[in-house]
Amino acid sequence: MWGAVAGLGFPAHPYVQVTALAVGAGLFPLRRRFPVAVLLVLAALTGAAPCVGPVTAATAFAVARRTVRARRRGRLLVAAAAVVVVCATVSAPWSGPGPVEYGLALGLILTPAAVLVPGLVGTSYGQQRRLVQALRERGDAAERARRSADSEARTHERSRIAAEMHDLVGHRLSLISLHAGGLELALERADPELREEAVLVRRTTRDAMRELRQAVGVLGPLGRDTGPEALTDATGTRADIESLVAESRNGGIAVRLDWTGPDLDARTARVRRAVHRVVRESLTNVHRYASAAHVTVTVVHGDETVRVTVRNGAPPAPPASAGSVGTGRGLTGLRERVELLGGTFDAAPLPSGGFQVDAVVPAEPGDTPARAPARAHTAGDVTGHDASHDAGTPPERRTAQVLTLALGLAALSVLMVLGTAFVYATAPHKNAGPSPLPRVGMTYADVAATGVSDNKAVRAAATGHEPPRPAGTAGCVYPFNGATEPRPGGLIVARYCFDASQRLIAIDRFTVPSVRDAAPWETP
């Protein structure tokens, strides 16, 4: 735009326009931190230097797109438009087209192209983005509600099944245990040999009751454990992990614990339970498959995550139970438990021959299970410099939006150039209007600049018929444009007399006779 306007020679100070353009380009990156101030300053620069108009248009679009409150957005656009008009009007006599009314016209032309139209387009884009974001949040909320309802339904069903098992099977086992105890007392004197069988039945019933309670605990709500592995306030804390390590060390395994960060007593039960299960299952696998290897248990408690790593070296000799390969259900259960909390789990052999279990658990897990990273990645990555603005936008659609906005900005720039050229072209200039008439006192050069020059034919016609020249005349000029014929046989001649200092001292007009030959077909 500056090249087009400056190439036509309209601005009086083109380098001032370049300076204003440089200032506007420097303010443009600050539009997000100081949107109001940047837009108003660019509007003032646009009024004084029209070449800043495209920068102001881009800023108005960005600010209107991010401003949520409609009243504040409207006031800001109106204020920016008023600043453009005022600055264009005030600066017109110095750096604009000249007269104040033409500066006002220039401001009124620049305002729609530089502020109002980009602001309205930015408002439309912003409302569309916020609507899509609201719909996406509503869909996520509906998905969370559906998952919560499904989870609650499963929990109720598991609880119902657990209650049925406890009421029916538990009642029958209690009766068996009661009758076995009575039979044990009755056979104590009658038949001591059969008494041992009664004791065996009672103990078996007691074991069955304990196993039933454990099964009921598994079928019950996920947040409740029963049996000898019930959750306590110390489960998953540093003291609990040290106890697990001490038990393994007493079992003949060289175990070392490295704890970094504060204790886990302030974290939720789900996090502490996951840490406890990872350490316990990993040490159990070491007991089974690498009892002679060195083991390192590392717990890193950070602000956002809790990382548990259990690593063992290669055993010097294969364990006795190496021939029986495990089912892998323990590691599968750990993976599911960790990923349900939104964490990551990795268990793999090491190149040195050892094995490593690595689990990362969020310190504050959400209400709903998070997706695994691999599944989230296959669903499609978000592209764009601003995830809050471009999240979920396909690359093809984003490219189309960028091209549309670029073409729109180019069209607005063309309109600004045409409007500025129209105002500057119609404004009066120094050389506009008719040339001034010669007057007494002007120099010979000034008189010649008005178009007065000596004509030999007119001088010859005036010779012998002109009045006496004024006193002090050094020379006279007889221009052709001063000779007119008011009547047949007469010619009015103008004479401009100058003194010795080339100053015009007199302008005379007189009539001289003219000679006219009659045509052959005319009669006297």
Side-chain angles (χ1 to χ4, degrees):
M1 180 175 178
W2 177 85
V5 176
L8 296 174
F10 289 139
H13 307 283
Y15 294 103
V16 175
Q17 303 271 336
V18 173
T19 304
L21 182 58
V23 174
L27 291 176
F28 182 73
L30 303 178
R31 66 192 183 281
R32 295 181 179 177
R33 292 190 60 185
F34 311 101
V36 178
V38 171
L39 180 58
L40 294 180
V41 172
L42 288 176
L45 291 176
T46 302
C51 64
V52 190
V55 183
T56 305
T59 304
F61 169 81
V63 173
R65 181 184 180 186
R66 292 177 175 272
T67 304
V68 178
R69 298 178 57 183
R71 181 173 299 178
R72 180 184 180 187
R73 181 173 56 248
R75 292 176 179 175
L76 180 58
L77 293 178
V78 171
V83 169
V84 171
V85 174
V86 171
C87 291
T89 304
V90 172
S91 62
W94 174 68
S95 63
V100 174
E101 55 271 18
Y102 287 88
L104 176 62
L106 179 62
L108 293 177
I109 290 177
L110 291 175
T111 296
V115 177
L116 297 183
V117 173
L120 294 178
V121 175
T123 300
S124 176
Y125 269 76
Q127 290 178 349
Q128 180 183 5
R129 178 179 60 84
R130 286 187 288 271
L131 178 61
V132 172
Q133 184 177 359
L135 293 177
R136 186 179 294 111
E137 291 177 355
R138 181 176 297 181
D140 293 341
E143 181 67 18
R144 289 195 297 268
R146 186 189 65 80
R147 291 181 180 179
S148 178
D150 293 345
S151 177
E152 185 176 359
R154 287 194 299 268
T155 300
H156 284 302
E157 185 65 19
R158 291 159 66 102
S159 300
R160 188 186 65 81
I161 295 174
E164 291 291 335
M165 291 181 61
H166 182 272
D167 294 341
L168 297 178
V169 182
H171 177 67
R172 297 298 181 185
L173 291 178
S174 298
L175 291 178
I176 294 175
S177 178
L178 179 61
H179 288 295
L183 183 60
E184 178 183 352
L185 293 177
L187 294 176
E188 183 176 2
R189 295 181 180 179
D191 193 346
E193 295 181 359
L194 293 178
R195 177 179 175 277
E196 296 297 331
E197 298 294 335
V199 172
L200 179 61
V201 172
R202 183 173 57 83
R203 290 177 178 176
T204 304
T205 305
R206 183 186 61 189
D207 294 339
M209 284 290 295
R210 185 179 69 253
E211 294 174 357
L212 175 63
R213 292 191 183 97
Q214 294 179 357
V216 169
V218 172
L219 290 176
L222 296 176
R224 184 183 69 195
D225 282 347
T226 59
E229 298 173 357
L231 177 68
T232 64
D233 293 338
T235 301
T237 60
R238 183 166 184 171
D240 179 50
I241 302 303
E242 290 177 348
S243 176
L244 293 177
V245 171
E247 291 177 1
S248 297
R249 189 180 295 115
N250 294 333
I253 298 178
V255 187
R256 186 186 68 192
L257 173 63
D258 292 335
W259 188 289
T260 303
D263 204 344
L264 294 177
D265 51 358
R267 297 302 180 184
T268 60
R270 292 183 297 170
V271 175
R272 292 187 284 114
R273 189 202 318 271
V275 173
H276 174 88
R277 292 291 176 86
V278 170
V279 175
R280 189 184 66 185
E281 182 67 25
S282 301
L283 292 179
T284 300
N285 290 338
V286 172
H287 277 279
R288 294 180 60 186
Y289 304 110
S291 58
H294 294 276
V295 184
T296 302
V297 179
T298 304
V299 179
V300 180
H301 181 196
D303 295 334
E304 298 181 355
T305 60
V306 180
R307 183 164 192 164
V308 182
T309 304
V310 180
R311 180 174 181 173
N312 63 273
S321 60
S324 59
V325 180
T327 61
R329 294 179 180 178
L331 295 179
T332 303
L334 291 181
R335 182 184 301 276
E336 293 178 354
R337 178 179 291 272
V338 172
E339 290 183 354
L340 282 175
L341 296 178
T344 58
F345 182 85
D346 184 27
L350 299 173
S352 60
F355 199 86
Q356 176 175 302
V357 176
D358 187 22
V360 179
V361 182
E364 296 293 338
D367 296 334
T368 57
R371 296 180 179 180
R375 294 175 58 187
H377 179 74
T378 56
D381 295 334
V382 175
T383 58
H385 64 279
D386 194 350
S388 62
H389 298 161
D390 308 321
T393 303
E396 297 81 5
R397 184 177 179 182
R398 176 165 175 78
T399 302
Q401 291 180 353
V402 171
L403 291 177
T404 303
L405 294 177
L407 292 176
L409 183 59
L412 291 177
S413 301
V414 172
L415 292 178
M416 293 181 203
V417 172
L418 295 178
T420 304
F422 175 77
V423 173
Y424 271 88
T426 56
H429 299 282
K430 295 180 180 180
N431 299 326
S435 302
L437 297 176
R439 64 181 182 275
V440 177
M442 295 178 63
T443 64
Y444 176 79
D446 294 337
V447 174
T450 62
V452 176
S453 60
D454 188 58
N455 186 273
K456 294 180 180 181
V458 177
R459 177 184 289 274
T463 302
H465 301 284
E466 60 180 321
R469 295 181 177 183
T473 299
C476 296
V477 174
Y478 303 85
F480 178 78
N481 54 5
T484 58
E485 187 177 10
R487 64 180 185 277
L491 183 66
I492 298 178
V493 176
R495 183 182 66 183
Y496 296 84
C497 297
F498 297 87
D499 59 7
S501 60
Q502 295 186 356
R503 290 283 178 178
L504 182 62
I505 59 176
I507 302 176
D508 300 323
R509 287 179 173 83
F510 51 90
T511 303
V512 298
S514 61
V515 179
R516 182 171 181 267
D517 295 335
W521 56 85
E522 290 182 351
T523 58

